[in-house]
């Protein structure tokens, strides 16, 4: 279990502050994460990496000369928000373009892609490389769906070295893609990990057994076996990875970088015992081992587990792997001394600008703010349950993410309304705050949904029931644009029927409260019905069988939110307002 924390909700923020305080030689804090504390030559590529916290030394520990220029650091096991990624990339950029690279998880893809669009609109050239090394997470025919685990280091290291030597953005991206194509990883766990403040681990493994093929966010393994000896474990890891070689690689005579990675509570001495057999097995089949790594490189809090990565290098990749690097957690060779960045570049926060809405819209903004207050209260009440539902086949962070998002939205909405914002602006500002603070998939989705609601409602008039229904439909379309459909076991399974029923009842002449009541009931029924579904996208897809019998956390939280907003509507309607 995780023992040392203050308020669990503040853990990630306090961790970043302490990390920066301890490593000022290498990093400085910026909005959303960290960037190098040293200068880089003008015109060189900035490698910006990132992901959820809880994986140290990934991701902040890999910022420095020869590695990343910046790292966006999200909440625990949740992707950084698009705003965080954009802020870090903007601070790290030195006019050579930005390469965004990260492990292939749904929330990371949503938020990094949104950041890439924002950076492009700002005139910054951007490329993206997702790491997909985990062979347990999808078949060889669907490598694009695989997760990124300890193979992150291989991609980041060679891309950072290519950027450091002055390669163009296109060439750095091509190097990163080639490294990803030639990297494979596989892991096991002897126990699950626990988030700060949690009473139970995200998953458990029976005594004397180990989970095979688990992820780094508390995802369950795809199989289970008795705990082997160190030599037997090495044989399992090497054997599974040799079953799938990169295209064009033949083991005999191939040069390979093995990375034996501890996931949090397996001791270095144990890793060395396992590694001795790993190297012997690779040598026995004719592979040439070059510059191996043994230690904690991509962790999962206190998980007792081990993963093996095989990085099959060509001549250029081997040179880049061996190139100097100097970061808080990873150093190689003789790194070149760097000049420190001026303290004047440290970013100062700015208050969100508000254009006052019309008097009618400001009255509606008060209703919206009450609704967001009710959302925060219901999420607080159900956060533990939502986390427990999510942990059945996911990573257990849904309740934490929703709490952080709804709290941030609540504060932002109150501030915007107090400064005269209309209903639309309050929703858009709240959505931006939700997305920024929550990160992850749910943060991106709720940010987009609230932005769409606000965009349609606007700041000029008091919305009618038809206006609200149109805004909800726009939010539905914004969420569907992320790719999920009804039946995938996501929030969409509750959102679509809510939208359909609300629109139908309003079109039939019902007032907003009556229509919303029926729509909320439909959302709850649909959310409960997700218990029978198999998840088809996201992290839970890998462990679909575990999810049957348990509803989707996103669908349940959406239904709870519709009920919370409903409780606010009747009083306001009696006062003559619409919502």
């Amino acid at each position: 279990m995780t023992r040392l924390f203050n308020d669990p909700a503040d853990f990630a923020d306090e961790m970043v502050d302490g990390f920066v305080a301890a490593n000022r030689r290498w990093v400085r804090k910026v909005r959303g994460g960290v960037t190098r504390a040293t200068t880089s030559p003008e015109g060189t590529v900035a490698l910006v990496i990132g992901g959820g916290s809880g994986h140290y030394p990934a991701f902040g520990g890999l910022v420095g000369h020869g590695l990343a220029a910046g790292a966006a650091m999200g909440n625990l096991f949740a992707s950084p928000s698009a705003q965080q990624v954009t802020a870090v990339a903007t601070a790290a950029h030195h006019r050579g373009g930005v390469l965004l690279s990260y492990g292939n998880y749904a929330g990371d893809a949503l938020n990094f892609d949104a950041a890439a669009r924002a950076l492009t609109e700002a005139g910054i050239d951007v490329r993206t490389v997702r790491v997909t090394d985990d062979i347990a997470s999808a078949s060889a025919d669907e490598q694009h769906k695989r997760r990124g685990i300890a193979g992150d280091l291989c991609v980041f290291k060679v891309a950072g070295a290519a950027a450091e030597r002055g390669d163009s953005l296109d060439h750095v991206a091509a190097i990163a893609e080639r490294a990803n194509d030639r990297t494979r990883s596989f892991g096991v766990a002897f126990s699950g990990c626990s988030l700060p403040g949690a009473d139970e681990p995200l998953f458990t493994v029976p005594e004397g057994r180990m989970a095979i093929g688990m992820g780094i966010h508390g995802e369950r393994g795809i199989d289970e076996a008795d705990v082997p000896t160190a030599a037997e474990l090495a044989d399992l890891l090497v054997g599974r990875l040799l079953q799938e070689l990169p295209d064009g690689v033949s083991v005999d005579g191939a040069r390979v970088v093995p990375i034996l990675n501890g996931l949090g509570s397996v001791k270095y001495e144990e890793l060395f015992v396992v590694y001795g057999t790993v190297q012997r097995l690779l040598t026995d089949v004719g592979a040439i081992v070059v510059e191996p790594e043994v230690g904690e490189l991509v962790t999962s809090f206190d998980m007792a587990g081990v993963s093996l990565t095989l990085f099959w290098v060509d001549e250029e990749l081997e040179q880049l792997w061996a190139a100097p690097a100097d970061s808080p957690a990873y150093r190689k060779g003789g790194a070149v001394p760097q000049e420190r960045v001026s303290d004047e570049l440290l970013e100062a926060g700015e208050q969100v600008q508000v254009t006052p809405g019309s008097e009618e819209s400001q009255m509606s903004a008060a209703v919206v703010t009450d609704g967001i207050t009710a959302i925060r209260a219901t999420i607080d009440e159900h956060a533990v349950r939502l986390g427990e539902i999510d942990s059945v086949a996911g990573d257990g962070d849904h309740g934490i993410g929703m709490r952080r998002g709804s709290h941030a939205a609540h504060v932002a909405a109150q501030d915007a309304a107090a400064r005269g914002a209309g209903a639309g602006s309050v929703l858009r500002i709240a959505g931006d705050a939700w997305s920024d603070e929550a990160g992850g998939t749910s943060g991106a989705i709720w940010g987009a949904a609230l932005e769409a609601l606000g965009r349609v409602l606007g700041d000029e008039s008091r919305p009618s029931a038809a206006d609200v229904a149109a805004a909800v439909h726009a939010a539905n379309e914004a969420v569907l644009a992320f790719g999920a459909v009804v039946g995938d076991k996501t929030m969409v399974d509750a959102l679509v029927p809510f939208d359909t029923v609300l629109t139908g009842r309003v079109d039939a002449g019902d007032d907003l409260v009556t229509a919303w009541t029926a729509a909320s009931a439909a959302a709850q029924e649909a959310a409960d019905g997700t218990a029978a579904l198999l998840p088809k996208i996201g992290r839970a897809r890998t462990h679909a069988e575990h999810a049957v019998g348990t509803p989707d956390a996103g669908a349940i939280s959406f239904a709870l939110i519709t009920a919370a907003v409903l409780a606010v509507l009747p009083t306001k309607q009696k006062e003559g307002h619409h919502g």
Side-chain angles (χ1 to χ4, degrees):
M1 62 181 294
T2 307
R3 299 172 179 84
L4 301 176
F5 52 87
N6 297 311
D7 183 339
D10 297 331
F11 186 91
D13 293 334
E14 293 180 347
M15 179 276 296
V16 173
D17 289 341
F19 165 68
V20 172
N23 293 284
R24 295 192 186 279
R25 168 184 160 190
W26 294 277
V27 298
R28 63 188 179 99
K29 185 177 181 180
V30 297
R31 180 190 174 195
V34 297
T35 61
R36 291 187 191 180
T38 56
T39 60
S40 297
E42 196 71 6
T44 56
V45 172
L47 169 64
V48 174
I49 62 176
S53 297
H55 305 302
Y56 192 84
F59 293 90
L62 302 178
V63 173
H65 177 81
L67 268 163
M73 302 169 70
N75 192 27
L76 302 176
F77 290 0
S79 77
S81 68
Q83 295 91 331
Q84 287 178 291
V85 178
T86 302
V88 171
T90 301
H93 174 54
H94 24 266
R95 284 181 267 287
V98 171
L99 173 63
L100 302 176
S101 191
Y102 53 91
N104 185 36
Y105 297 90
D108 293 283
L110 293 177
N111 286 295
F112 274 85
D113 283 354
R117 291 191 293 270
L119 292 166
T120 300
E121 290 172 1
I124 297 175
D125 204 6
V126 181
R127 303 288 183 275
T128 295
V129 175
R130 300 175 186 172
V131 184
T132 56
D133 59 305
D134 180 15
I135 68 170
S137 56
S139 68
D141 294 333
E142 294 186 310
Q143 291 186 30
H144 64 285
K145 294 184 179 180
R146 287 179 170 174
R147 304 176 292 215
I149 51 175
D152 284 356
L153 178 64
C154 304
V155 177
F156 300 163
K157 174 62 180 70
V158 299
E164 208 69 59
R165 73 182 181 186
D167 290 11
S168 69
L169 178 59
D170 283 337
H171 193 233
V172 173
I175 287 286
E177 289 282 11
R178 193 159 89 242
N180 184 54
D181 291 342
R182 298 173 72 96
T183 303
R184 303 287 187 276
S185 299
F186 189 73
V188 301
F190 312 107
S191 69
C193 55
S194 302
L195 296 174
D199 295 327
E200 301 291 337
L202 293 177
F203 71 89
T204 57
V205 182
E207 188 71 26
R209 302 279 285 176
M210 70 176 181
I212 298 174
M214 80 301 133
I216 59 170
H217 298 92
E219 302 99 330
R220 298 169 181 272
I222 60 174
D223 201 357
E224 210 175 81
D226 289 338
V227 174
T229 65
E232 290 168 342
L233 176 58
D235 189 60
L236 168 67
L237 296 174
V238 173
R240 292 294 283 266
L241 290 174
L242 290 182
Q243 289 175 9
E244 185 191 315
L245 297 174
D247 291 343
V249 172
S250 176
V251 174
D252 191 19
R255 301 176 73 82
V256 63
V257 175
I259 299 175
L260 189 64
N261 176 58
L263 282 157
S265 62
V266 173
K267 302 302 294 181
Y268 273 64
E269 289 85 349
E270 296 174 274
L271 294 174
F272 290 135
V273 172
V274 175
Y275 182 74
T277 304
V278 168
Q279 178 147 324
R280 178 180 59 78
L281 291 170
L282 290 170
T283 302
D284 286 350
V285 295
I288 301 170
V289 173
V290 295
E291 298 212 23
E293 293 285 350
V294 178
E296 292 187 345
L297 297 160
V298 178
T299 62
S300 186
F301 263 114
D302 59 335
M303 183 186 289
V306 176
S307 68
L308 177 65
T309 298
L310 296 183
F311 178 28
W312 301 91
V313 293
D314 57 25
E315 183 177 356
E316 183 179 28
L317 292 176
E318 184 175 345
Q319 291 174 352
L320 293 168
W321 177 255
D326 187 19
S327 70
Y330 188 85
R331 297 163 205 168
K332 185 187 285 283
V336 179
Q338 297 287 292
E339 180 183 350
R340 286 190 60 81
V341 170
S342 168
D343 290 340
E344 295 176 0
L345 293 180
L346 292 175
E347 184 177 6
E350 296 182 1
Q351 188 178 47
V352 175
Q353 298 300 309
V354 168
T355 301
S358 69
E359 184 177 348
E360 284 190 337
S361 189
Q362 288 183 27
M363 294 172 66
S364 295
V367 180
V368 168
T369 303
D370 286 349
I372 294 174
T373 300
I375 290 171
R376 170 181 171 168
T378 201
I379 293 301
D380 281 348
E381 180 182 354
H382 296 280
V384 173
R385 177 190 169 216
L386 293 172
E388 291 171 347
I389 293 172
D390 189 40
S391 68
V392 172
D395 55 16
D397 71 341
H398 186 74
I400 294 173
M402 291 292 286
R403 278 195 73 185
R404 287 175 65 96
S406 60
H407 279 230
H410 176 238
V411 171
Q414 286 191 317
D415 175 70
R419 291 192 285 137
S425 287
V426 167
L427 284 163
R428 291 194 298 272
I429 291 168
D432 189 66
W434 187 314
S435 174
D436 191 19
E437 186 67 20
T441 306
S442 68
I445 287 172
W446 276 100
L450 292 176
E451 187 280 331
L453 285 170
R455 173 167 31 86
V456 172
L457 293 184
D459 296 322
E460 297 302 320
S461 61
R462 182 182 302 168
S464 65
D467 293 333
V468 173
V472 168
H473 185 66
N476 182 27
E477 290 185 327
V479 173
L480 289 173
F482 287 109
V485 297
V486 172
D488 282 345
K489 195 162 187 168
T490 69
M491 169 182 160
V492 164
D493 289 297
L495 172 59
V496 169
F498 179 83
D499 174 35
T500 301
V501 172
L502 182 70
T503 299
R505 297 297 290 264
V506 168
D507 287 348
D510 285 352
D511 62 78
L512 181 59
V513 171
T514 302
W516 195 286
T517 301
S520 181
Q524 186 63 62
E525 181 180 1
D528 293 339
T530 60
L533 299 176
L534 283 168
K536 298 178 182 177
I537 63 173
R539 293 176 188 167
R541 173 185 57 81
T542 308
H543 313 283
E545 69 282 358
H546 294 291
V548 176
T550 302
D552 176 68
I556 292 293
S557 62
F558 176 80
L560 290 169
I561 283 171
T562 65
V565 173
L566 175 62
V568 174
L569 292 179
T571 300
K572 295 301 177 184
Q573 271 218 327
K574 289 174 185 175
E575 295 173 1
H577 300 295
H578 298 281

